[in-house]
Amino acid sequence: AIDAASANAGGFRWKGRAFTQLGQLEEALILLDTALEIAPNDPDIHHDRGIVFAIQGDSAGALEAFDAALAADPHHAPSLAEKRNLTS
């Protein structure tokens, strides 16, 4: 069963992803930060934040977010790939 906090974090995460797709990056970060407050160890949320930072041209912020995702899950494939892309 999914607990209520995880479900709420997921809702904020998916809204953040939608805003990212729309190019509304500041709004996306607000939603993703809210999701992170609810579920601070969710690697997908950290990863999505990294994507926003990368789009904004903030490589340092993106790497920090991808590293946080990998700290939560060392085998998080999307973050491993994005980190490899940023550092190659």
Side-chain angles (χ1 to χ4, degrees), residues 21-82:
Q21 293 293 321
L22 294 171
Q24 297 177 8
L25 303 179
E26 294 302 320
E27 293 86 348
L29 277 178
I30 291 168
L31 290 161
L32 293 169
D33 287 345
T34 302
L36 203 57
E37 289 175 15
I38 298 166
N41 295 316
D42 185 322
D44 293 321
I45 299 168
H46 287 288
H47 177 263
D48 291 346
R49 291 178 77 250
I51 295 295
V52 173
F53 290 131
I55 293 169
Q56 291 177 322
D58 180 358
S59 295
L63 283 173
E64 184 177 321
F66 297 138
D67 283 340
L70 293 167
D73 175 4
H75 304 290
H76 192 256
S79 293
L80 287 168
E82 291 294 339

Side-chain angles (χ1 to χ4, degrees), residues 3-27:
D3 63 57
S6 294
N8 287 340
F12 284 109
R13 175 183 174 234
W14 286 106
K15 287 178 187 173
R17 288 179 63 124
F19 276 91
T20 301
Q21 293 293 321
L22 294 171
Q24 297 177 8
L25 303 179
E26 294 302 320
E27 293 86 348

